[in-house]
Amino acid sequence: ELDTNNTKDFAGRVFLNPFQKSSIASLKGLGIGLAGTSGSQQGPLPVLRTPAQAIFFNYYPSTLANGNRYLITPQAYYYVGPFGLLGEYVQTAQDVKNGNTFGEISMSSWQVAASYVITGEKASFKSVTPRKQFNPGVRSFGAVELAGRYTQLNVDNDAFILKFANPNVSASRASTWTAGVNWYFNRNLRLQLNYEQSAFKGGNTTGDRQTEKVILSRFQVAF
């Protein structure tokens, strides 16, 4: 999203852990929530990028934001022992215009992600805390977590029917699967390595744009 005017968005989020104090241990790691934003935007519109930061959807330069926009996202996670599962759905809408053509363009996306800490530590939405911090001198190597995710984003067909975007350049759907490993040296240091593969619907003069394959790594320091 872009912010190029003086109006401001209202944002809110409610998240609950309804069984956190339950006597049933397997339910304590369940969380459910709902978040959303509402506001107004005039002017330039954002582009959509792949995990490798290549643009796969872009409006025509003459297509502009023209008023109300909103976002709503239900979400949930479940963690028990070394296993974690997370799901999320996002629905957005934005009023747009191109010359004398007006419309509301919606987009939706969702993801399901699973993880498993193979060294046995407890999985968590925030982070994994190794039982033994990284210290090769005493044969301690921290915690290792395997993860996988599938996610998809869909663009409103009206974006192309009403000529707000070019179907020969912009894809109408992007689907990505990810396999990754997280290595926690301690609760503050993490090394992450992911392989991500994205397939597209449309976005090319001859049909679907080429599948993207990328390896991403990150070293994170968090406090």
Side-chain angles (χ1 to χ4, degrees):
E1 295 184 351
L2 299 176
D3 183 8
T4 59
N5 57 30
N6 291 326
T7 63
K8 299 303 175 186
D9 287 4
F10 292 91
R13 181 172 184 255
V14 176
F15 199 89
L16 304 174
N17 296 105
F19 301 105
Q20 196 167 38
K21 296 184 178 181
S22 170
S23 59
I24 305 174
S26 60
L27 294 178
K28 290 184 177 182
L30 176 65
I32 55 175
L34 180 68
T37 66
S38 178
S40 179
Q41 172 69 12
Q42 305 284 341
L45 287 159
V47 301
L48 302 182
R49 298 180 182 272
T50 68
Q53 298 303 296
I55 296 174
F56 74 88
F57 177 86
N58 195 7
Y59 291 97
Y60 284 120
S62 56
T63 302
L64 302 173
N66 188 48
N68 295 331
R69 67 178 176 189
Y70 75 84
L71 178 150
I72 186 167
T73 170
Q75 52 207 226
Y77 64 58
Y78 177 65
Y79 291 94
V80 57
F83 175 75
L85 184 66
L86 180 148
E88 181 180 31
Y89 176 82
V90 180
Q91 178 74 42
T92 70
Q94 169 73 67
D95 290 339
V96 301
K97 68 175 182 178
N98 187 353
N100 293 322
T101 303
F102 299 83
E104 180 187 78
I105 300 303
S106 62
M107 298 186 187
S108 64
S109 64
W110 57 272
Q111 69 162 328
V112 176
S115 62
Y116 191 84
V117 186
I118 61 175
T119 48
E121 284 85 353
K122 185 178 180 181
S124 169
F125 177 75
K126 295 181 179 179
S127 183
V128 172
T129 301
R131 285 195 294 257
K132 296 181 179 180
Q133 297 187 20
F134 180 79
N135 186 347
V138 295
R139 300 183 64 83
S140 175
F141 298 96
V144 178
E145 178 184 42
L146 301 181
R149 180 178 65 177
Y150 187 85
T151 181
Q152 187 176 96
L153 185 144
N154 296 280
V155 178
D156 193 337
N157 284 333
D158 281 351
F160 307 104
I161 295 172
L162 299 177
K163 300 188 184 305
F164 294 130
N166 185 351
N168 295 324
V169 176
S170 295
S172 62
R173 183 173 66 209
S175 304
T176 301
W177 66 266
T178 304
V181 58
N182 297 311
W183 183 4
Y184 298 89
F185 296 89
N186 54 50
R187 65 179 301 173
N188 304 116
L189 300 177
R190 179 179 70 164
L191 178 63
Q192 179 179 342
L193 182 67
N194 288 340
Y195 172 80
E196 304 202 25
Q197 183 167 309
S198 301
F200 306 92
K201 180 180 179 181
N204 195 304
T205 54
T206 59
D208 299 335
R209 68 182 291 158
Q210 185 176 1
T211 298
E212 178 185 270
K213 302 174 183 178
V214 61
I215 296 175
L216 301 172
S217 64
R218 178 174 69 179
F219 184 73
Q220 177 179 309
V221 180
F223 295 94

